[in-house]
Amino acid sequence: MDFYGFEPTSRLFLGTAQYPSPAVLGEAIRASGVDIVTVSLRRESGAARAGQGFWELIRSLGVRVLPNTAGCHSVREAVTTAEMAREVFETDWIKLEVIGEDDTLQPDVFGLVEAARILTDSGFKVFPYTTEDLVVAERLLQAGCEVLMPWGAPIGSGRGLNNVFALRAMRAHFPDVPLVVDAGIGLPSHAAAAMELGYDAVLLNTAVARAGDPAKMAAAFAQAVAAGRAARQADPMEPRDMAEPSTPVIGRAVLGDA
Amino acid sequence: MTVGIELNGEPVSTEAATLADLLEEKGYNGAVVATALNGTFLPKGLRAATPLSDGDAVEVVAPMQGG
């Protein structure tokens, strides 16, 4: 399963925000072995020029960037931000966020679908940050999206997969659409669980950036994602309610009264 | 002629005739930035041909950390 024709070697996508320092960010990206990192756009001061150094660092790491529209609450803001991102980052990829509610950072799915249509019509390859709602997902595909990124839990919450039932249903309903769990992952076990459900990738940021040792945590996530993907490919057993002996019963020595 | 505009939300007065001149005047020379004028994306190639008027809102953004 590729992402608009790009097949990454790692199924972990990593955010670049909230690290203690640029050096630690660089270490974490290298330790994770990721091919894709998310980036953003913010106001630049002509005096400080803070963004220039950050961009130099990212370019030196040789990774592909997925710019986001984080913080946008309207279709117009998101579309304008995407257009600016396409020029600055020289990519038509955009992680589309249209935020509808500030406590949960839940997507405004109505604005999301509208913005996705405008952007795909003008040549963007849209990675929509969405909920696990199947009808919204259908609308996003109709709008031209070829990847879907449902949340695991609210951004930055670290709660893992809040709605496993719905994520499983989404995987079953869209067997041929690349699906990425984006947001809410707190631990490598959450990431492994997403991959075991058959998701094609996991996107996270805070869980690595806010760990005591981001580089070590980045490597742990890379292993978890690889393990979860391998497990899915290996076709896991079905759980059952009652025990069944794994050691053969036949041939057991008779050693006294039962 | 001096015009009063907003640059990234801050009121500034400038002698710059165009958006390209404004970027040069405010220290963005050679920087990797994108621009918007009054909420609409303004491509790099159009900056030199875009005059500034009183009350214009200019946004100048650059790559930044993101999740």
Side-chain angles (χ1 to χ4, degrees):
Chain A
M1 204 85 82
D2 62 35
F3 302 88
Y4 292 104
F6 178 72
E7 183 121 26
T9 53
S10 170
R11 297 308 179 114
L12 174 64
F13 305 169
L14 199 57
T16 56
Q18 302 183 325
Y19 292 81
S21 70
V24 173
L25 165 62
E27 285 166 23
I29 290 175
R30 278 189 289 267
S32 67
V34 297
D35 308 285
I36 297 171
V37 300
T38 54
V39 291
S40 187
L41 285 176
R42 285 293 178 264
R43 283 173 166 171
E44 180 82 328
S45 144
R49 297 168 63 113
Q52 307 305 306
F54 169 71
W55 186 221
E56 284 291 308
L57 169 66
I58 295 300
R59 288 215 291 205
S60 75
L61 293 167
V63 286
R64 189 168 184 137
V65 295
L66 174 58
N68 69 28
T69 63
C72 291
H73 285 66
S74 70
V75 172
R76 180 161 190 224
E77 280 180 293
V79 168
T80 302
T81 301
E83 289 170 333
M84 292 196 288
R86 179 160 61 177
E87 184 181 276
V88 160
F89 295 111
E90 296 175 337
T91 177
D92 49 13
W93 282 16
I94 192 76
K95 173 183 162 180
L96 181 61
E97 293 183 36
V98 182
I99 299 301
E101 204 280 312
D102 278 333
D103 287 330
T104 58
L105 296 177
Q106 175 160 349
D108 168 0
V109 294
F110 306 96
L112 183 69
V113 170
E114 189 184 337
R117 184 174 301 281
I118 293 167
L119 291 172
T120 53
D121 283 351
S122 54
F124 282 90
K125 297 181 168 69
V126 177
F127 293 67
Y129 165 63
T130 185
T131 67
E132 61 284 86
D133 188 301
L134 295 183
V135 181
V136 171
E138 286 281 8
R139 293 285 195 280
L140 288 167
L141 297 177
Q142 287 164 11
C145 297
E146 295 178 18
V147 175
L148 297 171
M149 301 209 297
W151 61 352
I155 294 171
S157 69
R159 301 192 69 85
L161 308 182
N162 257 356
N163 194 343
V164 170
F165 169 79
L167 290 172
R168 188 180 286 124
M170 197 168 190
R171 178 71 285 174
H173 195 72
F174 301 106
D176 302 322
V177 177
L179 298 179
V180 182
V181 169
D182 175 11
I185 300 286
L187 288 167
S189 53
H190 302 154
M195 298 304 291
E196 286 163 4
L197 286 176
Y199 277 70
D200 297 290
V202 170
L203 199 174
L204 57 96
N205 186 347
T206 311
V208 166
R210 288 289 169 88
D213 184 339
K216 193 164 194 169
M217 189 60 86
F221 268 105
Q223 291 176 326
V225 166
R229 180 169 165 79
R232 172 72 176 191
Q233 289 168 336
D235 189 13
M237 66 169 278
E238 287 298 322
R240 57 180 160 237
D241 290 333
M242 304 306 283
E244 184 174 306
S246 46
T247 304
V249 178
I250 295 172
R252 192 173 62 88
V254 178
L255 300 170
D257 294 337
Chain B
M1 196 187 76
T2 305
V3 294
I5 63 160
E6 273 198 3
L7 174 60
N8 285 345
E10 298 290 331
V12 297
S13 52
T14 176
E15 302 283 322
T18 67
L19 184 55
D21 293 344
L22 177 76
L23 293 184
E24 180 138 355
E25 181 189 300
K26 298 299 179 191
Y28 293 101
N29 240 352
V32 176
V33 293
T35 49
L37 179 62
N38 300 323
T40 302
F41 169 58
L42 202 113
K44 188 160 47 174
L46 297 182
R47 288 175 197 158
T50 303
L52 294 175
S53 313
D54 266 320
D56 275 346
V58 175
E59 293 284 336
V60 182
V61 298
M64 204 57 68
Q65 295 84 351

